[in-house]
Amino acid sequence: MAHGDTTGGFEKSPGWLDWHDGPSTPTFRLPAGAVDAHCHVFGPGAQFPYAPERKYTPCDASADELFALRDTLGFDRNVIVQATCHGADNRALVDALRRSEGRARGVATVRRDVTGEQLAELHDAGVRGVRFNFVKRLVDRVPTDSLDQIVAKIAPLGWHVVIYFEADDLPELYEFFSAIPTDVVVDHMGRPDVTKEPDGPEFALFLQFMRDNPNVWTKVSCPERLSVTGPRALEGEQHAYTDVVPFARRVVEEFPDRVLWGTDWPHPNLKDHMPDDGLLVDFIPQIATTPQLQQQLLVDNPRRLYWADSLHTAGD
Ligand SMILES: O=C(O)/C=C(\CC(=O)C(=O)O)C(=O)O
């Protein structure tokens, strides 16, 4: 089966870009124990069908393919995040976690009627957080009404909340997000518009949100999604996505103990190009410029958040 296939009778969304086959070996050597803290598994559709309510149908991206990428790039571990194409059906995620032999943790999506038994099962598989997607193109309705009820159920497990939203929506959601009692992880720096100034009011609000809320962390990931001017992480480019650098570097330097980084493999919904994941790893030293910052971003922070209960498992 070729890697760009979608099995189980599903048809990829028009214009779908398949993940990069044969990423380059990164020039940047990841520190020992590095965690790819944002990636997904998709299907395979024949085994784990895509959710009826999905807004896109991806190409399959299996756990085995993810683990092969992990090894090629030099990561030790993964944090696998439930994407909307699987809705609240976490079977593909749980299967990947179970097969990782302790080298992956997960972030699930659950409904408000989730039971204690179901949560215990997810915890046992390695789930440590729940994701709420506020990006309007990805969901029928934003989950504002169910969040409190779900948080009340997951907080006793020591889990955290992952939120995905766009910069335009932060003013309206600022107070709501600030009231979340658990740790909160914001995907991709709240998707800043990088054509605006990193010193401008829009990004200032995001920085203020992190300052006001010491329980808020963020992933300084997805330059390929945020960048407008590139250059793209293709054909050996060592200084990709320079327009995103000042934003991400600012966050890493101000909040070095609350940042995470991930590849976002297999990069759902990219429209412009599919990056070479090896060159994406080479983006990291542009935003975490010292070995100390790299160690925090790639090893210490994700381990604290995801492996606090088993700091001596595989890879140690
Ligand atoms: O992979 C990501 O982080 C971003 C996504 C997909 C997504 O979040 C989802 O489907 O849940 C996007 O912007 O389309």
Side-chain angles (χ1 to χ4, degrees), residues 144-164:
T144 323
D145 49 348
S146 59
L147 187 141
D148 286 351
Q149 285 165 280
I150 293 171
V151 169
K153 292 184 182 187
I154 59 103
L157 295 165
W159 290 13
H160 62 272
V161 165
V162 175
I163 48 178
Y164 187 28

Side-chain angles (χ1 to χ4, degrees), residues 16 38-40 42 55-56 81-86 109 131 133 135 137-139 164 166 187-188 191 219 221-222 224-225 264-271:
W16 187 264
H38 185 89
C39 49
H40 310 286
F42 292 153
K55 300 292 178 218
Y56 61 89
V81 176
Q82 179 79 351
T84 52
C85 59
H86 276 298
T109 296
R131 188 177 196 217
N133 207 315
V135 175
R137 74 184 151 80
L138 292 171
V139 287
Y164 187 28
E166 298 187 311
D187 281 342
H188 322 328
R191 292 195 62 122
K219 295 172 196 161
S221 44
C222 277
E224 72 286 3
R225 214 175 263 293
D264 193 33
W265 186 90
H267 310 284
N269 298 319
L270 289 184
K271 300 282 179 250

Side-chain angles (χ1 to χ4, degrees), residues 19-300:
W19 43 275
H20 193 285
D21 207 2
S24 54
T25 304
T27 302
F28 172 59
R29 275 205 59 183
L30 290 162
V35 180
D36 175 354
H38 185 89
C39 49
H40 310 286
V41 287
F42 292 153
Q47 193 181 358
F48 303 113
Y50 298 108
E53 71 272 24
R54 69 191 180 281
K55 300 292 178 218
Y56 61 89
T57 306
C59 70
D60 289 341
S62 71
D64 287 342
E65 289 160 332
L66 174 64
F67 299 151
L69 180 76
R70 174 197 68 196
D71 296 344
T72 299
L73 300 181
F75 283 102
D76 183 43
R77 300 173 187 207
N78 299 105
V79 178
I80 308 174
V81 176
Q82 179 79 351
T84 52
C85 59
H86 276 298
D89 177 349
N90 297 292
R91 281 177 296 168
L93 170 67
V94 164
D95 173 72
L97 297 178
R98 292 217 181 274
R99 289 200 291 117
S100 77
E101 298 178 347
R103 294 176 67 185
R105 293 289 196 237
V107 175
T109 296
V110 299
R111 305 241 185 268
R112 69 175 96 204
D113 60 358
V114 66
T115 65
E117 201 179 329
Q118 287 165 334
L119 290 175
E121 211 176 297
L122 290 171
H123 190 90
D124 183 59
V127 171
R128 295 293 180 269
V130 280
R131 188 177 196 217
F132 295 92
N133 207 315
F134 289 83
V135 175
K136 292 175 187 122
R137 74 184 151 80
L138 292 171
V139 287
D140 287 324
R141 31 191 316 218
V142 294
T144 323
D145 49 348
S146 59
L147 187 141
D148 286 351
Q149 285 165 280
I150 293 171
V151 169
K153 292 184 182 187
I154 59 103
L157 295 165
W159 290 13
H160 62 272
V161 165
V162 175
I163 48 178
Y164 187 28
F165 62 86
E166 298 187 311
D168 270 356
D169 296 318
L170 183 56
E172 191 190 328
L173 291 163
Y174 196 102
E175 293 306 323
F176 179 73
F177 289 154
S178 297
I180 301 174
T182 61
D183 281 334
V184 173
V185 180
V186 178
D187 281 342
H188 322 328
M189 300 182 287
R191 292 195 62 122
D193 175 350
V194 301
T195 64
K196 297 182 179 165
E197 285 298 311
D199 292 326
E202 187 181 273
F203 202 55
L205 186 72
F206 179 70
L207 296 172
Q208 192 58 46
F209 177 57
M210 289 202 66
R211 265 179 229 130
D212 281 352
N213 297 285
N215 59 325
V216 173
W217 303 43
T218 194
K219 295 172 196 161
V220 285
S221 44
C222 277
E224 72 286 3
R225 214 175 263 293
L226 303 174
S227 179
V228 176
T229 57
R232 302 154 164 184
L234 286 171
E235 289 159 25
E237 177 60 60
Q238 284 292 306
H239 294 94
Y241 312 124
T242 48
D243 50 348
V244 182
V245 169
F247 292 83
R249 194 190 280 188
R250 173 79 58 91
V251 177
V252 169
E253 289 175 0
E254 185 168 347
F255 309 102
D257 57 352
R258 290 193 268 145
V259 284
L260 303 167
W261 193 87
T263 56
D264 193 33
W265 186 90
H267 310 284
N269 298 319
L270 289 184
K271 300 282 179 250
D272 178 64
H273 69 290
M274 181 52 60
D276 171 339
D277 293 280
L279 296 172
L280 269 186
V281 169
D282 287 337
F283 174 80
I284 297 171
Q286 295 196 81
I287 62 166
T289 53
T290 66
Q292 169 64 25
L293 289 171
Q294 292 159 6
Q295 174 73 20
Q296 288 176 282
L297 175 67
L298 297 162
V299 183
D300 299 347

